[in-house]
Structure formats: structure tokens, C-alpha cells
Amino acid sequence: MDGARRRIPLGFLSLTGALVVSVLSGCAAIGVSDDNVSATDGPLDLSLASGGNGLYPPGVKGDWHGTFGGFRLCLTEPGTATLTRVEFLGQRDPNDEVRAVVRRVSKAAAEAGATPVFSEVGTPEDEFGSQPGQSIEPLKGAEIADVCKNPPDVTAGFSELMTVLFADADGNSIDAVRLSYTFNDESYLTTTRWENFVCDRARKNEQCSPNET
């Protein structure tokens, strides 16, 4: 990790090291039609309390990427869900790159210490793609068959939703991620409740307080 990286000092609630704050309300999708509505009560549930998570730029100058995870992909009933589409809600600039992938972590990798990652400078491919027992897959077509456990348990391996934001001099942000998927020949939607943002170097974006160093 880059030593200059700092978490955004916004937290009212701390969740395993990731600072979060209640910030989300209603949000509109970029280029999304409401004509084709899918059910929202399917078995793949990504809902958490509303909040946000962000990253300051690394010390090295130039454009960069921020990766945000922490969403374990699992089902509330046995079966297999297939991810079919991802939409980024409230994207600050639709011309900036935003994408989502699925990180797979094997049981052996989890037993060796691999855990969900809430925020990381870099891309999933660079940070985790070459790690033993881990792989990064395209989101579209990814199959999810793990059954959720309560309390959550990742020691047997897990699949994680990761969102990647490209950051130029102006930073980048999204309000939420909406996934479309199929399960038992039915179509469903589920939406994260977390804002993700990568700060601009000038710290002019409202989410990013000035860097003291």
C-alpha cells in the first residue's frame, strides 16, 4: 500500500477499518430506463445501512484508480444466481471510467488471511489477480451459489463485489451500484447503499477535507 494513502475523515460509524457516514438518499441512474422493472425481493441482498467510503490520492502524481469492496456476494436460499448487468447510480461524471468485477477467494486463500477489502488504491487485477487462490472475473455472467451465513463467515472462501473508479485531477464518485441478476428464471435487482468516491488532488470536492500533510 502507498504510505501516503489516507482514509476519508468522515466516519460516524467504523466498519472494520473503513470509515463510513450516512449520506445517501434518493439517487438517479445514469442512462437507466425504468420501463423494464425487475423484482427487488430476490435472494441476492447487498443492502447495508446508508453510508460512504472514499480514498485520498496516492503520493505519486498522475491519474489513478480506487477499488471499493466489502460486499460479499451470497444468497439467502440455495440455488445459483447469474449476474447480468451493473448500473452506477449518481455518477458524478458519466465520461469517467467506473466498472465492477467479482473477486473470487478460495478457502485456502481465506485460511491464509485473505479478507474482504473495503477500499484500496489500485485495481483489483493488480492488487489481487495474481495472489494465490484469488481471481478477478467480469461481472456479467458471473454465477453466485454461496449461501449467506449469519453471522457472516468468509473462512470457507467467498465472492466479493468490487467497484473500480478512475480518478483524474477532478476525482470521481458514485452514489450506489445496482445489480441485475437472474435466479430460477426470474429477473431481480439489488442495490448497494454506499457512496464511493476518489478525491481530487485539490480537495475541492465536498466529501474530501483538506490534507494536513
Side-chain angles (χ1 to χ4, degrees):
M1 295 183 185
D2 191 302
R5 192 189 75 196
R6 296 169 57 242
R7 296 286 196 270
I8 306 306
L10 287 175
F12 292 101
L13 171 67
S14 179
L15 182 60
T16 62
L19 293 175
V20 296
V21 57
S22 296
V23 293
L24 297 186
S25 54
C27 50
I30 299 295
V32 174
S33 171
D34 290 328
D35 295 337
N36 186 13
V37 178
S38 301
T40 58
D41 57 349
L44 182 65
D45 186 9
L46 298 179
S47 62
L48 289 173
S50 298
N53 191 13
L55 288 168
Y56 281 122
V60 179
K61 293 183 178 180
D63 299 338
W64 57 288
H65 290 83
T67 292
F68 300 92
F71 289 99
R72 185 188 175 199
L73 295 165
C74 60
L75 307 175
T76 57
E77 61 184 89
T80 300
T82 301
L83 307 182
T84 59
R85 186 184 182 194
V86 61
E87 302 162 55
F88 304 105
L89 311 187
Q91 186 176 346
R92 183 183 60 80
D93 185 348
N95 293 319
D96 286 345
E97 175 196 356
V98 180
R99 60 188 177 91
V101 297
V102 175
R103 176 191 178 209
R104 305 283 194 183
V105 177
S106 68
K107 179 179 180 181
E111 290 176 342
T115 61
V117 175
F118 286 86
S119 59
E120 183 80 22
V121 170
T123 68
E125 293 82 1
D126 290 342
E127 300 301 320
F128 311 107
S130 61
Q131 296 295 319
Q134 301 188 47
S135 63
I136 304 299
E137 300 178 7
L139 182 139
K140 187 175 181 179
E143 294 186 343
I144 307 302
D146 293 343
V147 176
C148 302
K149 296 181 179 180
N150 191 13
D153 180 12
V154 297
T155 58
F158 58 92
S159 298
E160 180 181 18
L161 172 66
M162 287 191 147
T163 304
V164 188
L165 276 68
F166 171 78
D168 55 18
D170 297 324
N172 200 355
S173 65
I174 58 173
D175 287 342
V177 176
R178 184 159 69 191
L179 293 183
S180 300
Y181 66 98
T182 59
F183 183 82
N184 289 342
D185 297 323
E186 298 289 338
S187 296
Y188 296 95
L189 293 173
T190 187
T191 305
T192 71
R193 302 298 178 187
W194 292 85
E195 179 186 13
N196 294 137
F197 51 93
V198 284
C199 285
D200 59 309
R201 293 188 181 276
R203 309 292 194 270
K204 294 181 180 179
N205 294 348
E206 63 181 9
Q207 304 103 321
C208 307
S209 64
N211 193 343
E212 297 87 357
T213 60

